[in-house]
C-alpha cells in the first residue's frame, strides 16, 4: 500500500539510480502534485537538482523539506553537504551536526562524519579531520575514510599514516591516491620491493 501511494517517488529513485535525472525530475513533480507536503519528495527533488547543476534550486528544495519536517535528518545532511561544497563551511557543519544528532543509524553517521572530515582537510584542520574520519570508520569501514584519515595523520606527522593507507588499499586496491602514497611511504622506510610493487599497481590503474 505504501509503495502504491508513493509510486512516483519510488519511480524517481529508479531513474536516479539509472542516471536519468530529467525523468526523475518529472516523476518527482508528479509526486508533488499528489502530495505537496512530502518532505521526502522535496529532498529527492533537491538531489536531482544538484545532479542537474541547479544548486540554488537544490538548496530551496532541501530547505522546503526541512520546513515541512524540521527533524528530517537526511534533509539536514544533504543541505549540509551542499553548503560545504558552496564554501559556506560554518553553516554546512552546523547542518551536518544537526543530522548526526537526529539520526544515530550508521548510514547517516558515516556520511555526516565523512563530510566533516573532508571539510577539515580542506581547511587543513588535520586533528579535527582525523577525529571525524575516525567517527566515520566506526559507522562504516571504507577505503575512502581510511584514506582521508591517512591524509589527516600525514598532516599531523602521526605514525599511523602508513597503517591507514594499508587499510585503504586492502579495502580498495583500485584507489590510486592511496596506492601512490603507500608506495612513497614504503620507499621512505626502505622497503623498496614492496614500494615498487605498490607504485607499479598505481600506474596500472
Amino acid at each position: 500500500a505504501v509503495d502504491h501511494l508513493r509510486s512516483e517517488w519510488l519511480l524517481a529513485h529508479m531513474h536516479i539510480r539509472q542516471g536519468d535525472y530529467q525523468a526523475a525530475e518529472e516523476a518527482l513533480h508528479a509526486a508533488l502534485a499528489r502530495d505537496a507536503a512530502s518532505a521526502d519528495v522535496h529532498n529527492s527533488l533537491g538531489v536531482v537538482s544538484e545532479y542537474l547543476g541547479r544548486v540554488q534550486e537544490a538548496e530551496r528544495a532541501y530547505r522546503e523539506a526541512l520546513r515541512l519536517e524540521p527533524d528530517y535528518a537526511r534533509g539536514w545532511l544533504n543541505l549540509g553537504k551542499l553548503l560545504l561544497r558552496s564554501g559556506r563551511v560554518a553553516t554546512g557543519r552546523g547542518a551536518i551536526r544537526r543530522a548526526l544528532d537526529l539520526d544515530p543509524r550508521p548510514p547517516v553517521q558515516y556520511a555526516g562524519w565523512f563530510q566533516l572530515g573532508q571539510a577539515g582537510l580542506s581547511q587543513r584542520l588535520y586533528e579535527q579531520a582525523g577525529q571525524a574520519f575516525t567517527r566515520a570508520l566506526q559507522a562504516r569501514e571504507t577505503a575512502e575514510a581510511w584514506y582521508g584519515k591517512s591524509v589527516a595523520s600525514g598532516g599531523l606527522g602521526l605514525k599511523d599514516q602508513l597503517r591507514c593507507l594499508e587499510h585503504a588499499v586492502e579495502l580498495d586496491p583500485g584507489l590510486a591516491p592511496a596506492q601512490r602514497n603507500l608506495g612513497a611511504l614504503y620507499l621512505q622506510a626502505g622497503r623498496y620491493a614492496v614500494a615498487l610493487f605498490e607504485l607499479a599497481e598505481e600506474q596500472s590503474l
Side-chain angles (χ1 to χ4, degrees):
V2 172
D3 286 357
H4 173 70
L5 290 172
R6 305 209 310 171
S7 58
E8 294 95 347
W9 182 76
L10 293 168
L11 178 63
H13 278 263
M14 183 186 74
H15 289 312
I16 291 171
R17 287 194 295 272
Q18 294 173 341
D20 190 347
Y21 305 119
Q22 294 288 351
E25 186 176 41
E26 292 174 8
L28 289 169
H29 281 301
L32 283 179
R34 183 191 290 267
D35 181 7
S38 169
D40 278 333
V41 174
H42 284 285
N43 178 68
S44 296
L45 192 58
V47 171
V48 170
S49 295
E50 280 202 80
Y51 277 122
L52 292 171
R54 303 200 297 259
V55 177
Q56 290 181 337
E57 288 183 26
E59 183 175 345
R60 285 196 295 270
Y62 294 142
R63 291 192 183 279
E64 179 62 12
L66 294 168
R67 185 189 69 80
L68 293 165
E69 193 174 327
D71 291 339
Y72 187 28
R74 182 57 64 174
W76 282 111
L77 181 62
N78 286 338
L79 176 62
K81 290 192 291 186
L82 181 148
L83 292 171
L84 287 176
R85 286 192 292 268
S86 301
R88 289 170 282 175
V89 177
T91 50
R93 285 181 184 276
I96 288 178
R97 288 194 173 275
R98 175 71 171 149
L100 292 170
D101 289 341
L102 287 168
D103 192 341
R105 292 175 296 179
V108 169
Q109 291 295 308
Y110 172 81
W113 286 112
F114 184 85
Q115 290 297 322
L116 290 178
Q118 294 285 75
L121 290 183
S122 69
Q123 295 182 291
R124 299 185 179 182
L125 300 173
Y126 296 120
E127 184 173 359
Q128 192 177 97
Q131 291 171 354
F133 284 122
T134 297
R135 296 291 297 272
L137 287 163
Q138 290 170 356
R140 179 185 170 202
E141 195 172 6
T142 68
E144 291 77 11
W146 276 116
Y147 177 69
K149 185 172 170 60
S150 79
V151 176
S153 295
L156 293 169
L158 300 179
K159 294 181 180 179
D160 73 338
Q161 182 185 12
L162 177 60
R163 178 181 62 87
C164 294
L165 286 170
E166 289 174 335
H167 282 304
V169 170
E170 181 181 359
L171 287 169
D172 183 4
L175 189 60
Q179 286 273 10
R180 181 170 57 251
N181 289 357
L182 183 58
L185 285 181
Y186 282 150
L187 279 174
Q188 291 175 18
R191 298 167 64 180
Y192 300 116
V194 183
L196 289 173
F197 173 79
E198 294 295 340
L199 291 170
E201 284 291 301
E202 187 270 331
Q203 289 295 323
S204 69
L205 299 176

